[in-house]
Amino acid sequence: MSNLATIVQSYYSLNTFQVLRDLWEQMTGLIGVDARNLTNADLTIEQSDLPQFSLIRSPNFQALLKGRAIDTTSVDQIEVEITFVWADIDRFLAPLVSVLPLSTCHSDRSNGNDSSLQSHFTQLLLTVISRDCLNEREIYLQQQVTEAHLLNWISAQIHHTLDLDIIIQTVVEKVQQFLKSDRLIIYQIDSNQTLDSIGDPISNFDRIKGKVVFEAAATPELKSALDLMEGEDCFRDDRLCSQYQAGMTKAIDDVQIEYANYPCLLSLMERYQIRSKLIIPIVVDRRLWGFSIAHQCQYIRHWQVGETKFLGQVSEHLAFAIHQSQLYIASQFHTQSLEQLVNERTRELRDAVIVAQTANQSKTEFLALLSHELRTPLTSILGLSATLLRLPSLNLTDRQQTYLQTIHNSGEHLSELIDDILDFYKLEVGKTFLKISEFSLSKLIKQIIEIVRPKAESARVDLQFEIINNGHNVSKISGRDLRFRGDTKRIRQILLNILINAIKFTPEDGTVILRAWLEDRYAIFEIEDSGIGIEEEQIPRLFKKFHQLNPNYDRNYAGMGLGLAITQQLVELHGGWIDVDSIVGSGSTFTVRLAAQPLQLPDGKDWGEMDRKLCLQDPELNPIPKRIILIEHEENIANLMCDILTAARYQVTWLLSVESSFRQISVLQPDLLIIDLAVGEHTVDRTIQNIRKSTIIGETKILAIASKDDILSQAVKECVDDYLWKQINPEQLLRKIAKLLSD
């Protein structure tokens, strides 16, 4: 407030202005008969443009109170002016000389108010003004509390629901009531019309084009502006668009003045009775989305700074809600798109699985065909060639002997290739598992050496082995054995693959040494050769399937490149690793480390007993004729086996069917029964069980012919003494028979 000796000008409520007028009347009475209080009522002619006033006029004291309403209708607040300056009072009275009593228009003094009167009046005035300020402060605080409560409520609504329409409509109604505006609308810009992130107009954005999407009105009689759209030429100002984009607000007290140069907009304001408006932009993610607009229709309204700030805060909350809704819609769209993509990928994967299953089934059928259709004629090739080679009565020439030997060797090589392919397939599809048993590592090494020795001798390679126990070479020391737990068959296969490979790539007069020892819970095998060696950069490629290190090897060394690939997988299946050290021209050393396996057999199968029976022995062939009964329904295999056994001086009886075999077996009482398990599963089981129960033939040795993929029944496991795989190898057949008949 300015110096009371000169002028006081501020805003007060209507009630406070009335109290001030009463104070002027009271002060006039205190001064006495020389004082007079002049008001608008004393004018002889009404002055419509004159503010409400009270004037104390006396020879020693003058005070002028003026009050002007902020707008022409609302009188909630009054602009109040108080002055004690006599010259200012005279200037106020000068235009009123003709409409006021003549005695009041001139003062007798010009030296100002009496100090005592001025002091007393000032105290009274300050009391009234202070009381009004306290009331105004209380009203302001109440308004701030209400605003904060409303903003918190809006924030809670936004976090409570994702339904944007409900949020905005509820907020618009609440804010319209709080601002006491005649209408509050949300104007949304056309979604195809936007600004870029730095505020530059794009897409020919030279006007704000959109429509009213939400509305709340004070009375139902007020014309609705919902769905209102501006005309095509109503607004063209791209600079103003950019300013709104930057967050500018616009408070318009009188639309008649503001839109004087915009006839289209002015006509629109008149059509919807808009006299004042407050425009707040809604900026979502740095883009102008629309506006919050308050309308005053009944009178011209001066918008307060607090009202503008509050509506701005509401618009920020709405912008957050809109952005949240957009993100939710986008996430829903992406979720649906992702779900659709997942469904498409699922269908594609399902189709791929079906194709893979079909291909796998075809592969399985092909391998079954490979196993059966190739092995059957291959068995004849191997068996007959071996039989012919064993018959001295044929008197073959050297060339014929060479041809037969070539046929036999080629058959063996083809058999090895088929075995490699089948083994590799089982490893790839995870159908290979370990059949664990505890066995003699020393005996296994000796058996492997005996198997490989003929190949080494044929290649003129010196084959040696060393079994190390506690640092001593016990290869020739009896009574010291190394026990290990693992899959005997697979360990044999690992060592055979490496040894045969070493012999293949070792020149004549070279050396191959197999060393074996136990270290903690591991079995260590070291195969050292003096062969051609491997280049260092080629070693990582050594265990790749269908791969040989040098193209020339395809011509010089036979093979498909599967042996070492299978070996590595079998080693890893044992929880071990394989390492290679090599020097080109000097030789290579393969080191295999296998972990001891727990004696927990899959499916409860007793594979240990079977593996012990499958360990190859090399006894001398029995020269004494023995009686053998062969039960085989395939004529080719039966003829082959009969020829082989006859050439080996065994007495052979071939039975085609198993149904009536028990009586014949009982009569003939053979030393050995060879039976093909494929002639009838249940009949075979019943026959061999009856044999074992018989007091006459119960001790007869039984050799079963089975496929590697056959699932053996419990009766077969309990009653059969040994097994012979379907691809019959004459030497293996004769060794097994010799072993069984010698026990």
Coordinates of all heavy atoms in Angstrom, one line a residue, residues 263-344:
P263 N -13.0 -11.9 -37.9 CA -14.5 -11.9 -38.0 C -15.1 -13.3 -37.8 O -16.1 -13.5 -37.2 CB -14.8 -11.4 -39.4 CG -13.6 -10.6 -39.8 CD -12.4 -11.3 -39.2
C264 N -14.4 -14.3 -38.4 CA -14.9 -15.7 -38.3 C -15.0 -16.1 -36.8 O -16.0 -16.7 -36.3 CB -14.1 -16.6 -39.1 SG -14.6 -18.4 -39.0
L265 N -13.9 -15.9 -36.1 CA -13.8 -16.3 -34.7 C -14.8 -15.4 -33.8 O -15.4 -15.9 -32.9 CB -12.4 -16.1 -34.2 CG -11.4 -17.2 -34.6 CD1 -10.0 -16.9 -34.0 CD2 -11.9 -18.6 -34.0
L266 N -14.9 -14.2 -34.2 CA -15.8 -13.3 -33.4 C -17.2 -13.7 -33.6 O -18.0 -13.7 -32.6 CB -15.6 -11.8 -33.9 CG -16.2 -10.7 -33.0 CD1 -15.6 -10.8 -31.6 CD2 -15.9 -9.4 -33.6
S267 N -17.6 -14.1 -34.8 CA -18.9 -14.6 -35.0 C -19.2 -15.9 -34.2 O -20.2 -16.1 -33.7 CB -19.1 -14.9 -36.5 OG -20.3 -15.5 -36.7
L268 N -18.1 -16.7 -34.1 CA -18.2 -18.0 -33.4 C -18.4 -17.7 -31.9 O -19.2 -18.4 -31.2 CB -16.9 -18.8 -33.6 CG -16.9 -20.2 -33.1 CD1 -17.9 -21.1 -33.9 CD2 -15.6 -20.9 -33.2
M269 N -17.7 -16.7 -31.4 CA -17.8 -16.3 -30.0 C -19.2 -15.8 -29.7 O -19.8 -16.2 -28.6 CB -16.8 -15.2 -29.6 CG -15.3 -15.6 -29.7 SD -14.8 -17.0 -28.7 CE -14.7 -18.3 -29.9
E270 N -19.8 -15.0 -30.5 CA -21.1 -14.5 -30.3 C -22.2 -15.6 -30.4 O -23.2 -15.6 -29.6 CB -21.4 -13.4 -31.4 CG -20.6 -12.2 -31.2 CD -20.7 -11.2 -32.3 OE1 -21.4 -11.5 -33.3 OE2 -20.2 -10.0 -32.2
R271 N -21.9 -16.6 -31.3 CA -22.9 -17.7 -31.5 C -23.0 -18.5 -30.2 O -24.1 -19.0 -29.9 CB -22.5 -18.5 -32.7 CG -23.6 -19.5 -33.1 CD -23.4 -20.0 -34.5 NE -22.2 -20.7 -34.7 CZ -21.2 -20.3 -35.5 NH1 -21.2 -19.1 -36.0 NH2 -20.1 -21.0 -35.7
Y272 N -21.9 -18.6 -29.5 CA -21.9 -19.4 -28.2 C -21.8 -18.6 -27.0 O -21.4 -19.1 -25.9 CB -20.7 -20.4 -28.3 CG -21.0 -21.6 -29.3 CD1 -20.6 -21.5 -30.6 CD2 -21.7 -22.7 -28.9 CE1 -20.8 -22.5 -31.5 CE2 -21.9 -23.7 -29.8 CZ -21.5 -23.6 -31.1 OH -21.8 -24.6 -32.0
Q273 N -22.1 -17.3 -27.1 CA -22.2 -16.3 -26.0 C -20.9 -16.2 -25.2 O -21.0 -16.0 -24.0 CB -23.4 -16.7 -25.1 CG -24.7 -16.9 -25.8 CD -25.8 -17.5 -24.9 OE1 -25.6 -18.7 -24.5 NE2 -26.8 -16.8 -24.6
I274 N -19.8 -16.3 -25.8 CA -18.5 -16.3 -25.1 C -18.1 -14.8 -25.0 O -17.9 -14.2 -26.0 CB -17.5 -17.1 -25.8 CG1 -18.0 -18.6 -25.9 CG2 -16.1 -17.1 -25.1 CD1 -17.1 -19.4 -26.8
R275 N -17.8 -14.3 -23.8 CA -17.4 -13.0 -23.6 C -15.9 -12.9 -23.1 O -15.2 -12.0 -23.4 CB -18.3 -12.2 -22.6 CG -19.7 -12.2 -23.0 CD -20.6 -11.4 -22.2 NE -20.2 -10.0 -22.3 CZ -20.8 -9.0 -21.6 NH1 -21.8 -9.2 -20.7 NH2 -20.4 -7.7 -21.8
S276 N -15.5 -13.9 -22.4 CA -14.1 -14.0 -21.9 C -13.7 -15.5 -22.0 O -14.5 -16.4 -21.9 CB -14.0 -13.6 -20.5 OG -14.4 -12.2 -20.3
K277 N -12.4 -15.7 -22.3 CA -12.0 -17.1 -22.4 C -10.5 -17.2 -21.9 O -9.7 -16.3 -22.0 CB -12.1 -17.7 -23.8 CG -11.3 -16.9 -24.8 CD -11.6 -17.4 -26.2 CE -11.4 -18.8 -26.5 NZ -11.5 -19.1 -28.0
L278 N -10.2 -18.4 -21.3 CA -8.9 -18.7 -20.8 C -8.4 -20.0 -21.6 O -9.0 -21.0 -21.5 CB -8.9 -19.0 -19.3 CG -7.6 -19.4 -18.6 CD1 -6.5 -18.3 -18.8 CD2 -7.8 -19.6 -17.1
I279 N -7.3 -19.8 -22.3 CA -6.8 -20.9 -23.2 C -5.5 -21.5 -22.6 O -4.5 -20.7 -22.4 CB -6.6 -20.4 -24.6 CG1 -7.8 -19.7 -25.1 CG2 -6.1 -21.5 -25.5 CD1 -7.6 -19.0 -26.5
I280 N -5.4 -22.8 -22.3 CA -4.3 -23.4 -21.8 C -3.9 -24.6 -22.8 O -4.8 -25.5 -23.0 CB -4.5 -24.0 -20.4 CG1 -4.9 -22.9 -19.4 CG2 -3.2 -24.6 -19.9 CD1 -3.9 -21.8 -19.2
P281 N -2.7 -24.6 -23.3 CA -2.4 -25.7 -24.3 C -2.2 -27.1 -23.5 O -1.7 -27.0 -22.4 CB -1.1 -25.3 -25.0 CG -0.5 -24.4 -24.0 CD -1.6 -23.7 -23.2
I282 N -2.5 -28.2 -24.2 CA -2.2 -29.5 -23.6 C -1.1 -30.1 -24.5 O -1.3 -30.4 -25.7 CB -3.4 -30.4 -23.7 CG1 -4.5 -29.8 -22.8 CG2 -3.1 -31.8 -23.2 CD1 -5.8 -30.6 -22.8
V283 N 0.1 -30.2 -24.0 CA 1.3 -30.6 -24.8 C 1.6 -32.0 -24.3 O 2.0 -32.2 -23.1 CB 2.5 -29.7 -24.6 CG1 3.7 -30.2 -25.4 CG2 2.1 -28.3 -25.1
V284 N 1.5 -33.0 -25.2 CA 1.8 -34.4 -24.9 C 3.0 -34.9 -25.6 O 3.1 -34.8 -26.8 CB 0.6 -35.3 -25.3 CG1 0.9 -36.8 -25.0 CG2 -0.7 -34.8 -24.6
D285 N 4.0 -35.3 -24.8 CA 5.3 -35.7 -25.4 C 5.9 -34.7 -26.4 O 6.2 -35.1 -27.5 CB 5.1 -37.1 -26.1 CG 6.4 -37.8 -26.4 OD1 7.4 -37.5 -25.7 OD2 6.4 -38.7 -27.3
R286 N 5.9 -33.5 -25.9 CA 6.5 -32.3 -26.7 C 5.7 -32.0 -28.0 O 6.2 -31.4 -28.9 CB 7.9 -32.6 -27.0 CG 8.8 -32.7 -25.8 CD 10.3 -32.8 -26.1 NE 10.5 -34.0 -26.9 CZ 11.7 -34.3 -27.5 NH1 12.7 -33.4 -27.4 NH2 11.8 -35.4 -28.2
R287 N 4.4 -32.5 -28.1 CA 3.6 -32.2 -29.2 C 2.3 -31.6 -28.8 O 1.7 -32.1 -27.8 CB 3.4 -33.5 -30.1 CG 4.6 -34.0 -30.7 CD 4.3 -35.3 -31.5 NE 5.5 -35.9 -32.1 CZ 6.0 -35.5 -33.3 NH1 5.3 -34.6 -34.0 NH2 7.1 -36.1 -33.8
L288 N 1.8 -30.6 -29.5 CA 0.5 -30.0 -29.2 C -0.6 -30.9 -29.5 O -0.9 -31.2 -30.6 CB 0.4 -28.7 -29.9 CG -0.8 -27.8 -29.6 CD1 -0.7 -27.3 -28.1 CD2 -0.9 -26.6 -30.5
W289 N -1.3 -31.4 -28.4 CA -2.4 -32.3 -28.5 C -3.7 -31.6 -28.6 O -4.6 -32.0 -29.4 CB -2.4 -33.2 -27.3 CG -3.5 -34.3 -27.4 CD1 -3.5 -35.5 -27.9 CD2 -4.8 -34.1 -26.8 NE1 -4.7 -36.1 -27.8 CE2 -5.6 -35.3 -27.0 CE3 -5.5 -33.1 -26.1 CZ2 -6.9 -35.5 -26.6 CZ3 -6.8 -33.3 -25.7 CH2 -7.5 -34.5 -25.9
G290 N -3.9 -30.5 -27.8 CA -5.2 -29.7 -27.8 C -5.1 -28.6 -26.8 O -4.0 -28.1 -26.4
F291 N -6.3 -28.2 -26.3 CA -6.4 -27.1 -25.3 C -7.4 -27.4 -24.3 O -8.4 -28.1 -24.5 CB -6.8 -25.8 -26.1 CG -5.8 -25.4 -27.1 CD1 -6.0 -25.8 -28.5 CD2 -4.7 -24.6 -26.9 CE1 -5.2 -25.4 -29.5 CE2 -3.9 -24.2 -27.9 CZ -4.1 -24.6 -29.2
S292 N -7.2 -26.8 -23.1 CA -8.2 -26.7 -22.0 C -8.7 -25.2 -22.1 O -7.8 -24.3 -22.0 CB -7.6 -27.0 -20.6 OG -7.2 -28.3 -20.6
I293 N -10.0 -25.0 -22.3 CA -10.5 -23.7 -22.5 C -11.6 -23.4 -21.6 O -12.6 -24.2 -21.6 CB -10.9 -23.4 -24.0 CG1 -9.8 -23.8 -24.9 CG2 -11.4 -22.0 -24.2 CD1 -10.1 -23.7 -26.4
A294 N -11.6 -22.3 -20.8 CA -12.6 -21.9 -19.9 C -13.4 -20.7 -20.5 O -12.7 -19.8 -21.0 CB -12.1 -21.5 -18.5
H295 N -14.7 -20.8 -20.5 CA -15.5 -19.7 -21.1 C -16.3 -19.0 -20.0 O -16.8 -19.6 -19.1 CB -16.5 -20.3 -22.1 CG -15.9 -20.8 -23.3 ND1 -16.6 -21.7 -24.2 CD2 -14.7 -20.6 -23.9 CE1 -15.8 -22.0 -25.2 NE2 -14.7 -21.4 -25.0
Q296 N -16.4 -17.7 -20.1 CA -17.3 -16.9 -19.3 C -18.3 -16.2 -20.3 O -17.9 -15.5 -21.2 CB -16.5 -15.8 -18.5 CG -17.3 -15.3 -17.3 CD -17.4 -16.4 -16.2 OE1 -16.5 -17.2 -16.0 NE2 -18.6 -16.5 -15.6
C297 N -19.6 -16.5 -20.0 CA -20.6 -16.1 -21.0 C -21.5 -15.0 -20.5 O -22.1 -14.2 -21.3 CB -21.4 -17.3 -21.4 SG -20.5 -18.6 -22.1
Q298 N -21.7 -14.8 -19.2 CA -22.6 -13.9 -18.6 C -22.1 -12.5 -18.5 O -22.8 -11.5 -18.4 CB -23.1 -14.4 -17.3 CG -23.8 -15.8 -17.3 CD -25.0 -15.8 -18.3 OE1 -25.7 -14.9 -18.4 NE2 -25.1 -17.0 -19.0
Y299 N -20.8 -12.4 -18.4 CA -20.1 -11.1 -18.2 C -18.7 -11.2 -18.6 O -18.1 -12.2 -18.8 CB -20.3 -10.6 -16.7 CG -19.7 -11.6 -15.7 CD1 -18.4 -11.6 -15.4 CD2 -20.6 -12.5 -15.1 CE1 -17.9 -12.6 -14.5 CE2 -20.1 -13.4 -14.2 CZ -18.7 -13.5 -13.9 OH -18.2 -14.4 -13.0
I300 N -18.0 -10.0 -18.7 CA -16.6 -9.9 -19.0 C -15.9 -10.3 -17.7 O -16.1 -9.7 -16.7 CB -16.2 -8.6 -19.6 CG1 -16.9 -8.3 -20.9 CG2 -14.7 -8.4 -19.7 CD1 -16.6 -7.0 -21.5
R301 N -14.9 -11.2 -17.8 CA -14.2 -11.7 -16.6 C -12.7 -11.4 -16.8 O -12.1 -11.7 -17.8 CB -14.4 -13.2 -16.4 CG -13.7 -13.8 -15.3 CD -14.2 -15.2 -15.0 NE -13.4 -15.8 -13.9 CZ -13.8 -17.0 -13.4 NH1 -14.8 -17.7 -13.9 NH2 -13.0 -17.6 -12.4
H302 N -12.1 -10.9 -15.7 CA -10.7 -10.7 -15.6 C -10.1 -12.0 -15.0 O -10.4 -12.3 -13.8 CB -10.3 -9.5 -14.8 CG -8.8 -9.3 -14.6 ND1 -8.0 -9.0 -15.7 CD2 -8.1 -9.5 -13.5 CE1 -6.8 -9.0 -15.2 NE2 -6.8 -9.2 -13.9
W303 N -9.3 -12.7 -15.8 CA -8.8 -14.0 -15.3 C -7.5 -13.7 -14.4 O -6.6 -13.0 -14.8 CB -8.3 -14.9 -16.4 CG -9.5 -15.2 -17.4 CD1 -9.7 -14.6 -18.6 CD2 -10.5 -16.1 -17.2 NE1 -10.8 -15.1 -19.1 CE2 -11.4 -16.1 -18.3 CE3 -10.8 -17.1 -16.2 CZ2 -12.5 -16.9 -18.4 CZ3 -11.9 -17.9 -16.3 CH2 -12.7 -17.8 -17.4
Q304 N -7.6 -14.3 -13.2 CA -6.5 -14.1 -12.2 C -5.3 -15.0 -12.6 O -5.5 -16.0 -13.2 CB -7.0 -14.4 -10.8 CG -8.2 -13.5 -10.4 CD -7.8 -12.1 -10.3 OE1 -6.7 -11.7 -9.8 NE2 -8.6 -11.2 -10.7
V305 N -4.1 -14.6 -12.1 CA -2.9 -15.3 -12.4 C -3.0 -16.7 -11.8 O -2.6 -17.7 -12.4 CB -1.7 -14.6 -11.8 CG1 -0.4 -15.5 -12.0 CG2 -1.5 -13.3 -12.5
G306 N -3.6 -16.8 -10.6 CA -3.8 -18.1 -9.9 C -4.7 -19.0 -10.7 O -4.5 -20.3 -10.7
E307 N -5.7 -18.5 -11.3 CA -6.6 -19.3 -12.1 C -5.9 -19.8 -13.3 O -6.1 -21.0 -13.7 CB -7.9 -18.5 -12.5 CG -8.7 -18.0 -11.3 CD -9.8 -17.0 -11.7 OE1 -9.6 -16.3 -12.7 OE2 -10.8 -16.9 -11.0
T308 N -5.1 -19.0 -14.0 CA -4.4 -19.5 -15.1 C -3.4 -20.6 -14.7 O -3.2 -21.6 -15.4 CB -3.6 -18.3 -15.7 OG1 -4.5 -17.3 -16.1 CG2 -2.8 -18.7 -17.0
K309 N -2.7 -20.4 -13.6 CA -1.7 -21.3 -13.1 C -2.4 -22.7 -12.8 O -1.9 -23.8 -13.2 CB -1.0 -20.8 -11.9 CG 0.1 -21.8 -11.4 CD 0.7 -21.2 -10.1 CE 1.8 -22.1 -9.5 NZ 2.4 -21.6 -8.3
F310 N -3.6 -22.6 -12.1 CA -4.3 -23.8 -11.8 C -4.7 -24.6 -13.0 O -4.5 -25.8 -13.1 CB -5.5 -23.5 -10.9 CG -6.4 -24.6 -10.6 CD1 -6.0 -25.7 -9.8 CD2 -7.7 -24.7 -11.3 CE1 -6.9 -26.7 -9.6 CE2 -8.5 -25.8 -11.0 CZ -8.1 -26.8 -10.2
L311 N -5.3 -23.9 -13.9 CA -5.8 -24.6 -15.2 C -4.6 -25.2 -15.9 O -4.7 -26.2 -16.6 CB -6.6 -23.7 -16.0 CG -7.3 -24.3 -17.2 CD1 -8.2 -25.5 -16.7 CD2 -8.2 -23.3 -18.0
G312 N -3.4 -24.5 -15.8 CA -2.2 -25.0 -16.4 C -1.8 -26.3 -15.8 O -1.4 -27.3 -16.5
Q313 N -1.9 -26.4 -14.4 CA -1.5 -27.6 -13.7 C -2.5 -28.8 -14.1 O -2.1 -29.9 -14.3 CB -1.6 -27.4 -12.2 CG -0.4 -26.5 -11.8 CD -0.6 -26.1 -10.3 OE1 -1.6 -25.9 -9.8 NE2 0.6 -26.1 -9.6
V314 N -3.8 -28.4 -14.2 CA -4.8 -29.4 -14.6 C -4.5 -30.0 -16.0 O -4.5 -31.2 -16.3 CB -6.2 -28.8 -14.6 CG1 -7.2 -29.8 -15.2 CG2 -6.6 -28.5 -13.1
S315 N -4.1 -29.1 -16.9 CA -3.7 -29.5 -18.3 C -2.5 -30.4 -18.3 O -2.4 -31.3 -19.1 CB -3.5 -28.2 -19.2 OG -4.7 -27.5 -19.2
E316 N -1.5 -30.1 -17.4 CA -0.4 -31.0 -17.3 C -0.8 -32.4 -16.9 O -0.2 -33.4 -17.4 CB 0.7 -30.4 -16.4 CG 1.3 -29.1 -16.9 CD 2.3 -28.5 -15.9 OE1 2.4 -29.1 -14.8 OE2 2.9 -27.5 -16.2
H317 N -1.7 -32.5 -15.9 CA -2.2 -33.8 -15.5 C -2.9 -34.5 -16.6 O -2.7 -35.7 -16.8 CB -3.1 -33.6 -14.3 CG -2.4 -33.4 -13.0 ND1 -1.7 -32.3 -12.7 CD2 -2.2 -34.2 -11.9 CE1 -1.2 -32.4 -11.4 NE2 -1.5 -33.6 -11.0
L318 N -3.7 -33.7 -17.4 CA -4.4 -34.4 -18.5 C -3.4 -34.8 -19.5 O -3.6 -35.9 -20.2 CB -5.4 -33.3 -19.1 CG -6.6 -33.0 -18.2 CD1 -7.5 -32.0 -18.9 CD2 -7.4 -34.2 -17.9
A319 N -2.4 -34.0 -19.8 CA -1.3 -34.4 -20.7 C -0.7 -35.8 -20.3 O -0.5 -36.6 -21.2 CB -0.3 -33.3 -20.9
F320 N -0.5 -35.9 -19.0 CA 0.1 -37.1 -18.5 C -0.8 -38.3 -18.7 O -0.5 -39.4 -19.2 CB 0.4 -37.0 -17.0 CG 1.0 -38.3 -16.4 CD1 2.3 -38.7 -16.6 CD2 0.1 -39.1 -15.6 CE1 2.7 -39.9 -16.0 CE2 0.6 -40.3 -15.1 CZ 1.9 -40.6 -15.3
A321 N -2.1 -38.1 -18.4 CA -3.1 -39.1 -18.6 C -3.3 -39.5 -20.1 O -3.4 -40.7 -20.4 CB -4.5 -38.6 -18.1
I322 N -3.2 -38.5 -21.0 CA -3.3 -38.8 -22.4 C -2.1 -39.6 -22.9 O -2.2 -40.6 -23.6 CB -3.4 -37.5 -23.2 CG1 -4.8 -36.8 -22.9 CG2 -3.3 -37.7 -24.7 CD1 -4.8 -35.4 -23.4
H323 N -0.9 -39.2 -22.4 CA 0.3 -39.9 -22.8 C 0.3 -41.3 -22.3 O 0.7 -42.3 -23.0 CB 1.5 -39.1 -22.2 CG 2.8 -39.7 -22.7 ND1 3.2 -40.0 -24.0 CD2 3.9 -40.1 -22.0 CE1 4.4 -40.5 -24.1 NE2 4.9 -40.6 -22.9
Q324 N -0.2 -41.5 -21.0 CA -0.3 -42.8 -20.4 C -1.3 -43.7 -21.3 O -1.0 -44.8 -21.5 CB -0.8 -42.7 -19.0 CG -1.1 -43.9 -18.3 CD -1.5 -43.7 -16.9 OE1 -0.7 -43.7 -15.9 NE2 -2.8 -43.6 -16.7
S325 N -2.4 -43.1 -21.7 CA -3.3 -43.8 -22.5 C -2.7 -44.2 -23.8 O -3.0 -45.3 -24.3 CB -4.6 -43.0 -22.7 OG -5.5 -43.6 -23.5
Q326 N -2.0 -43.3 -24.5 CA -1.4 -43.6 -25.7 C -0.4 -44.7 -25.6 O -0.3 -45.6 -26.5 CB -0.7 -42.3 -26.3 CG -1.6 -41.2 -26.7 CD -0.9 -39.9 -27.1 OE1 0.3 -39.8 -26.8 NE2 -1.6 -39.0 -27.8
L327 N 0.4 -44.7 -24.5 CA 1.4 -45.8 -24.3 C 0.7 -47.1 -24.1 O 1.1 -48.1 -24.6 CB 2.3 -45.4 -23.1 CG 3.2 -44.3 -23.2 CD1 4.0 -44.0 -21.9 CD2 4.2 -44.6 -24.3
Y328 N -0.5 -47.0 -23.3 CA -1.2 -48.3 -23.1 C -1.8 -48.8 -24.4 O -1.7 -50.0 -24.6 CB -2.4 -48.0 -22.1 CG -3.2 -49.2 -21.8 CD1 -2.8 -50.2 -21.1 CD2 -4.5 -49.2 -22.4 CE1 -3.6 -51.3 -20.9 CE2 -5.4 -50.3 -22.2 CZ -4.9 -51.4 -21.4 OH -5.7 -52.5 -21.2
I329 N -2.4 -47.9 -25.2 CA -2.9 -48.3 -26.5 C -1.8 -48.9 -27.4 O -2.0 -50.0 -28.0 CB -3.6 -47.2 -27.2 CG1 -4.9 -46.8 -26.4 CG2 -4.0 -47.5 -28.6 CD1 -5.5 -45.5 -26.9
A330 N -0.6 -48.2 -27.4 CA 0.5 -48.7 -28.2 C 1.0 -50.1 -27.6 O 1.3 -51.0 -28.4 CB 1.6 -47.7 -28.1
S331 N 1.0 -50.2 -26.3 CA 1.4 -51.5 -25.7 C 0.4 -52.6 -26.1 O 0.8 -53.7 -26.4 CB 1.6 -51.4 -24.2 OG 0.4 -51.2 -23.6
Q332 N -0.9 -52.2 -26.0 CA -1.9 -53.2 -26.4 C -1.7 -53.6 -27.9 O -1.8 -54.8 -28.2 CB -3.3 -52.6 -26.2 CG -3.7 -52.5 -24.7 CD -3.8 -53.8 -24.0 OE1 -2.9 -54.3 -23.4 NE2 -4.9 -54.5 -24.2
F333 N -1.4 -52.6 -28.7 CA -1.2 -52.9 -30.1 C 0.0 -53.8 -30.3 O -0.1 -54.8 -31.0 CB -1.1 -51.6 -30.9 CG -0.7 -51.8 -32.3 CD1 -1.7 -52.2 -33.3 CD2 0.6 -51.6 -32.8 CE1 -1.3 -52.4 -34.6 CE2 1.0 -51.8 -34.1 CZ 0.0 -52.2 -35.0
H334 N 1.1 -53.4 -29.6 CA 2.3 -54.3 -29.7 C 2.1 -55.7 -29.2 O 2.6 -56.6 -29.7 CB 3.5 -53.6 -29.0 CG 3.9 -52.3 -29.8 ND1 4.3 -52.4 -31.1 CD2 4.1 -51.1 -29.4 CE1 4.7 -51.1 -31.5 NE2 4.6 -50.3 -30.4
T335 N 1.3 -55.7 -28.1 CA 1.0 -57.0 -27.5 C 0.2 -57.9 -28.4 O 0.5 -59.1 -28.6 CB 0.2 -56.8 -26.2 OG1 1.0 -56.1 -25.2 CG2 -0.1 -58.2 -25.5
Q336 N -0.8 -57.3 -29.1 CA -1.6 -58.0 -30.1 C -0.7 -58.4 -31.2 O -0.8 -59.5 -31.7 CB -2.8 -57.2 -30.5 CG -3.8 -56.9 -29.4 CD -4.9 -56.0 -29.8 OE1 -4.9 -55.5 -31.0 NE2 -5.8 -55.7 -29.0
S337 N 0.1 -57.4 -31.7 CA 1.0 -57.8 -32.8 C 2.0 -58.9 -32.4 O 2.2 -59.8 -33.2 CB 1.8 -56.5 -33.2 OG 0.9 -55.5 -33.6
L338 N 2.5 -58.8 -31.2 CA 3.5 -59.8 -30.7 C 2.7 -61.1 -30.6 O 3.3 -62.2 -30.9 CB 4.1 -59.4 -29.4 CG 5.1 -60.3 -28.8 CD1 6.3 -60.5 -29.7 CD2 5.6 -59.8 -27.4
E339 N 1.5 -61.1 -30.0 CA 0.7 -62.3 -29.9 C 0.5 -62.9 -31.3 O 0.6 -64.2 -31.5 CB -0.6 -62.0 -29.2 CG -1.4 -63.3 -28.9 CD -2.7 -62.9 -28.2 OE1 -2.8 -61.8 -27.7 OE2 -3.5 -63.8 -28.0
Q340 N 0.1 -62.1 -32.2 CA -0.1 -62.6 -33.6 C 1.2 -63.1 -34.2 O 1.2 -64.2 -34.8 CB -0.6 -61.4 -34.5 CG -0.9 -61.8 -35.9 CD -1.5 -60.7 -36.7 OE1 -1.6 -59.6 -36.2 NE2 -1.7 -60.9 -38.0
L341 N 2.3 -62.4 -33.9 CA 3.6 -62.9 -34.4 C 4.0 -64.2 -33.8 O 4.4 -65.1 -34.4 CB 4.7 -61.8 -34.1 CG 6.1 -62.2 -34.6 CD1 6.1 -62.3 -36.1 CD2 7.1 -61.1 -34.2
V342 N 3.7 -64.3 -32.4 CA 4.0 -65.6 -31.7 C 3.2 -66.7 -32.3 O 3.6 -67.8 -32.5 CB 3.7 -65.4 -30.2 CG1 3.8 -66.7 -29.5 CG2 4.8 -64.5 -29.6
N343 N 1.9 -66.4 -32.5 CA 1.0 -67.4 -33.1 C 1.5 -67.9 -34.5 O 1.5 -69.1 -34.8 CB -0.4 -66.9 -33.2 CG -1.1 -66.7 -31.9 OD1 -0.7 -67.4 -30.9 ND2 -2.1 -65.8 -31.8
E344 N 1.9 -66.9 -35.3 CA 2.5 -67.2 -36.6 C 3.7 -68.0 -36.5 O 3.9 -69.0 -37.2 CB 2.7 -65.9 -37.4 CG 1.5 -65.2 -37.8 CD 1.8 -63.8 -38.5 OE1 3.0 -63.5 -38.6 OE2 0.9 -63.1 -38.9

